[in-house]
Amino acid sequence: MDTTHLSKFYKKSHIEKIDSLFLAGVISKKEKDRLMSQSLELDVDTGNNMIENYISNYSLPMGVALNYVIDKEELVVPMAIEEPSVIAASSFAAKIIGSGGGFKTTVSQRQMIGQVTLKNVDDIHAAVKNVEDAEQAIVERANEAYPSIVKRGGGARSVSVRILEDDTDSGIPTFLSVHVHIDTQEAMGANIVNTMMEGIAPYIEELTGGKALLRILTNYATECLATATCEIPVHKLKTGEFSGEEVRDRIIEATQVATIDPYRAVTHNKGIMNGVDAVIVATGNDWRAIEAGVHAYASRSGQYRSLTTWSKNDKGDLVGKLTLPLPIGTVGGSISIHPAAKLAHAILNHPKAHKLERIIVSVGLAQNFAAVRALVTEGIQKGHMGLHARSLAISAGAKGDHVQQVADILKKSKHKNLQRAKNILLNLLDEFDR
Ligand code: MEV
């Protein structure tokens, strides 16, 4: 990638942005032409076949975050999101983090977990033993239920059992949950796992004497984890009246608050998910699955906590770390159907699932850094209001150059509301007519 073409990206016109991605080698000529002709919409036929009762498409803006250096590789990251300032904050954070060497990532194995959950198991301990003794046979039957994943090098690997006992004192009976650990290769794997669970359920019933109540994957993908770390030189943190050391310590303290206060933790983690979801959506992945799993992971200690940790190292630099369960896929679902998702994968140079996990967790860490840094220094409203002013200008009916002109006047106005934006626009149009 030749990043020289990407400098001052935000200042370029829409067409220049697309052209510079092409010149930098991020997208091909074909992708450039598709972007120029705006032909990334789902066509009616595809939409109609994707969901029931289809009537139209719902568009989100898609942009790119710049300056990412992940495991020494420079990357441009596609993001689809309606919230102003997320992509700007992401690029800004990636630049500062890049000055400290960028993100270093690790990933666990990629195994999804399927659950067959049984009720009416009379002898729970005998059932557990029977399942454990039959592990190999269960694995084989699961693989027989979905042979193509075995051909692709994946498949069921092992089995474990959990006794689910009431911890609420509300008279819930005991259930038994049989977990099958499955390598789904490049797929997120919901269909693979669910087919396997439905396939083995009668055998599990035989082994346990119980009745299968649920046969489905868990979105709590604790065996599909990705971790990003970064080290930010303390002098790079200096901003306004705050020294680098002050900013560093305030970021550490703000994260301590989010570690012990669930009210703050939810918002802190929402900031992480601003980045994570935007990449998940752009790459055609199931953001509900990721959201559900991530928030369960944030509660793994028994209390909902910050997903990131920030500390300082011996040099006094700021050290960040984020681990997330990321059961994403690079094949299946809408990934190979949706034209914009296909473009997002092309922008990332068609990463394998493990690499996409590394990218997403890095974006989450960057987004958290950007948000908390702003919160503990100048506050986020200053940056937000600039973009909010543009949204108001558009809502007021401004088009083309008028959007920025209205926004600039609005930013300096005492009242930053729609009525004021409309008045400013009318004045500008009047001047234009004169
Ligand atoms: C806004 O979308 C996200 C933040 O609220 C995150 C945070 O508070 O850390 C700014």
Side-chain angles (χ1 to χ4, degrees), residues 83 264 267-268 270-271 274 371-372 375 380 384:
E83 184 172 329
R264 173 57 204 152
T267 321
H268 181 97
K270 189 272 183 183
N274 274 345
V372 177
L375 286 170
I380 57 161
H384 273 195

Side-chain angles (χ1 to χ4, degrees), residues 34-339:
R34 297 201 73 181
L35 271 167
M36 292 286 193
S37 65
Q38 287 295 299
S39 61
L40 290 168
E41 280 285 308
L42 268 184
D43 60 74
V44 170
D45 209 35
T46 311
N48 218 6
N49 282 306
M50 273 175 88
I51 61 162
E52 307 78 21
N53 300 354
Y54 170 83
I55 53 167
S56 179
N57 295 330
Y58 179 101
S59 300
L60 279 178
M62 177 159 147
V64 286
L66 304 175
N67 311 320
Y68 273 89
V69 180
I70 302 174
D71 299 319
K72 301 203 172 117
E73 188 186 352
E74 289 181 324
L75 284 159
V76 168
V77 182
M79 297 174 101
I81 187 158
E82 87 296 346
E83 184 172 329
S85 84
V86 167
I87 296 183
S90 200
S91 306
F92 167 79
K95 191 167 189 178
I96 298 195
I97 292 170
S99 72
F103 301 87
K104 293 190 179 66
T105 67
T106 53
V107 283
S108 71
Q109 60 187 350
R110 270 178 59 78
Q111 283 192 8
M112 307 305 152
I113 304 167
Q115 292 187 294
V116 177
T117 307
L118 302 123
K119 63 177 199 167
N120 300 346
V121 180
D122 288 338
D123 187 341
I124 285 271
H125 295 287
V128 170
K129 180 153 188 338
N130 287 349
V131 170
E132 284 172 351
D133 288 349
E135 177 170 16
Q136 203 42 44
I138 297 170
V139 165
E140 278 164 22
R141 283 172 195 235
N143 285 334
E144 277 160 21
Y146 211 104
S148 65
I149 187 64
V150 181
K151 283 201 202 104
R152 298 201 317 253
R157 298 286 189 239
S158 60
V159 175
S160 55
V161 200
R162 292 167 56 246
I163 299 170
L164 308 181
E165 277 167 333
D166 183 16
D167 57 359
T168 66
D169 276 346
S170 49
I172 295 173
T174 299
F175 296 92
L176 192 69
S177 184
V178 176
H179 283 197
V180 184
H181 307 259
I182 302 160
D183 174 350
T184 57
Q185 297 278 298
E186 286 300 301
M188 182 260 194
N191 282 329
I192 299 170
V193 176
N194 297 344
T195 305
M196 285 185 173
M197 294 309 98
E198 290 188 7
I200 62 169
Y203 181 49
I204 304 285
E205 286 182 334
E206 251 175 62
L207 288 169
T208 59
K211 278 266 150 240
L213 180 68
L214 299 159
R215 303 156 298 166
I216 184 100
L217 97 160
T218 167
N219 289 122
Y220 192 23
T222 50
E223 291 171 4
C224 185
L225 301 176
T227 300
T229 58
C230 65
E231 290 188 8
I232 307 176
V234 68
H235 68 270
K236 292 276 174 190
L237 295 169
K238 184 179 164 6
T239 177
E241 82 234 41
F242 296 97
S243 70
E245 284 75 11
E246 278 172 315
V247 177
R248 174 198 66 203
D249 293 345
R250 291 166 76 89
I251 290 174
I252 294 171
E253 285 157 1
T255 309
Q256 289 167 343
V257 173
T259 303
I260 58 175
D261 175 18
Y263 282 86
R264 173 57 204 152
V266 169
T267 321
H268 181 97
N269 292 343
K270 189 272 183 183
I272 295 170
M273 299 313 284
N274 274 345
V276 169
D277 282 339
V279 186
I280 300 276
V281 172
T283 55
N285 274 287
D286 179 346
W287 74 92
R288 289 87 56 212
I290 302 298
E291 280 280 341
V294 160
H295 296 297
Y297 194 68
S299 311
R300 67 195 179 284
S301 67
Q303 185 186 307
Y304 189 90
R305 299 183 193 280
S306 163
L307 285 156
T308 51
T309 55
W310 292 98
S311 56
K312 65 176 176 183
N313 64 14
D314 295 344
K315 286 185 284 174
D317 293 340
L318 181 66
V319 180
K321 184 172 176 189
L322 172 64
T323 299
L324 296 176
L326 284 176
I328 48 78
T330 57
V331 295
S334 69
I335 297 166
S336 34
I337 301 173
H338 199 296

